[in-house]
């Protein structure tokens, strides 16, 4: 059974292993992402240099690719990091920011899906609908679709890629193509801090780096559990941070503190998780 004790076990695993998570991410969120990984108990590495990315990826425990600011050098770095990670069996997590918004982003996503094997994808409903080949609507990087609207698309995409797919929103929906879990933790004020969605993807990378194996091999069930744990911890930290916060600036500082201080009692008392 997937419950609070499972979430806590995954968080303990991250804190014990202190995984190195390489982020080839957008230039809006690097600082927030790095600080969140440190507060969680992971170790961040960042690069946008193609000559650096492949070598760094081979040293990492997980690689996170984020197309939010898709400069050509960033994209080349993503291909090099993703392929180097694949060669060593290191999990790769994709955040397809505003995937369907422009022809260039559409081309980048198509090439990443062709050339890099993904362990997980996290995006909002509009992004997941686009990546799955369906029509979603967005306002910049923000979704105008509810997460449940992308559930069928997420299942189909997960099955096709052999990846875990997370659709984030008021309810975070996670699927491996068969089972579906929903996390209802979080707070609306989190949407007023740029980059917290991207930060969620980085946390998925940290948890995926520590996902339990099955008979010494990669297991999609382990990745499903790890992704769900990451989204639960993310939502819980945001929920606690928003309590009595006068605005999003305070929330961001408290969010980092909440990640750092999270314990089993808090998870047990506040987790909102359901099989869908």
């Amino acid at each position: 059974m997937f419950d609070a004790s499972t979430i806590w076990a995954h968080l303990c695993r991250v804190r014990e292993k202190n995984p190195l998570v390489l982020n080839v991410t957008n230039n809006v969120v690097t600082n927030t992402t790095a600080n969140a990984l440190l507060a969680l108990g992971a170790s961040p590495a960042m690069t946008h240099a193609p000559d650096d990315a492949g070598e760094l990826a081979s040293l990492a425990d997980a690689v996170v690719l984020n197309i939010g600011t898709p400069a050509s050098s960033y994209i080349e770095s993503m291909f090099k990091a993703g392929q180097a990670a694949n060669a060593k069996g290191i999990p790769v997590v994709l955040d397809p920011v505003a995937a369907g918004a422009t022809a260039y982003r559409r081309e980048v996503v198509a090439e990443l899906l062709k050339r890099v094997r993904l362990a997980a994808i996290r995006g909002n409903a509009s992004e997941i609908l686009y990546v799955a080949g369906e029509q979603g609507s967005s306002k910049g990087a923000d979704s105008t679709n509810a997460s449940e609207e992308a559930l069928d698309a997420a299942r189909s995409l997960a099955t096709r890629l052999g990846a875990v797919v997370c659709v984030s929103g008021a309810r975070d929906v996670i699927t491996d193509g068969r089972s579906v879990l929903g996390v209802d933790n979080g707070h609306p004020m989190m949407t007023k801090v740029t980059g917290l969605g991207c930060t969620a993807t980085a946390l998925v990378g940290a948890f995926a780096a520590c996902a339990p194996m099955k008979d010494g091999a990669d297991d999609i069930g382990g990745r499903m559990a790890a992704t769900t744990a990451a989204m639960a911890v993310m939502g819980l930290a945001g929920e606690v941070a928003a309590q009595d916060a006068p605005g999003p600036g305070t929330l961001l500082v408290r969010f980092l503190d909440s990640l750092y201080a999270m314990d089993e009692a808090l998870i047990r008392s506040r987790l909102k998780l359901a099989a869908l």
Side-chain angles (χ1 to χ4, degrees):
M1 182 179 175
F2 201 95
D3 56 13
S5 62
T6 311
I7 303 287
W8 174 241
H10 278 266
L11 178 55
C12 288
R13 195 175 287 116
V14 171
R15 288 172 171 171
E16 288 162 9
K17 184 173 180 180
N18 182 228
L20 178 62
V21 182
L22 173 62
N23 299 266
V24 187
T25 189
N26 72 72
N27 56 22
V28 177
V29 304
T30 49
N31 184 66
T32 300
T33 295
N35 280 326
L37 286 168
L38 286 168
L40 179 72
S43 182
M46 328 298 274
T47 191
H48 291 135
D51 293 339
D52 187 49
E55 188 175 353
L56 262 182
S58 69
L59 301 173
D61 297 298
V63 170
V64 175
L65 308 178
N66 178 305
I67 70 164
T69 52
S72 57
S73 62
Y74 292 16
I75 299 306
E76 186 182 350
S77 297
M78 289 182 199
F79 290 132
K80 290 195 172 183
Q83 290 169 338
N86 283 171
K88 297 199 75 171
I90 296 162
V92 180
V93 180
L94 174 66
D95 191 326
V97 179
T102 66
Y104 181 59
R105 288 174 194 255
R106 292 192 286 272
E107 180 185 340
V108 166
V109 169
E111 283 299 308
L112 282 168
L113 294 183
K114 270 193 235 173
R115 293 164 60 178
V116 178
R117 187 173 64 257
L118 300 172
I121 302 175
R122 189 225 58 92
N124 64 38
S126 298
E127 291 159 352
I128 296 303
L129 283 165
Y130 173 76
V131 177
E134 299 185 24
Q135 186 63 43
S137 58
S138 64
K139 181 180 179 183
D142 298 323
S143 178
T144 56
N145 298 95
S147 53
E148 290 89 346
E149 293 178 62
L151 176 54
D152 288 343
R155 279 185 193 266
S156 172
L157 183 62
T159 300
R160 174 157 58 93
L161 298 180
V164 175
V165 176
C166 171
V167 189
S168 60
R171 163 177 281 175
D172 299 319
V173 175
I174 305 102
T175 183
D176 58 4
R178 296 163 303 202
S179 57
V180 182
L181 292 169
V183 175
D184 289 315
N185 293 103
H187 192 277
M189 198 189 296
M190 295 172 75
T191 64
K192 302 301 182 184
V193 179
T194 189
L196 282 191
C198 301
T199 299
T201 308
L203 296 197
V204 170
F207 279 84
C210 306
M213 311 286 260
K214 187 174 183 180
D215 299 325
D218 174 57
D219 172 45
I220 193 166
R223 282 185 275 128
M224 170 82 173
T227 303
T228 304
M231 297 310 295
V233 167
M234 179 81 194
L236 285 163
E239 194 174 289
V240 171
Q243 245 177 263
D244 302 321
T250 304
L251 180 142
L252 178 56
V253 173
R254 291 182 180 175
F255 170 75
L256 296 174
D257 292 345
S258 298
L259 281 178
Y260 182 78
M262 190 167 296
D263 58 19
E264 185 175 12
L266 186 142
I267 296 171
R268 287 189 179 280
S269 65
R270 300 187 73 138
L271 179 65
K272 299 169 189 168
L273 175 69
L276 303 179

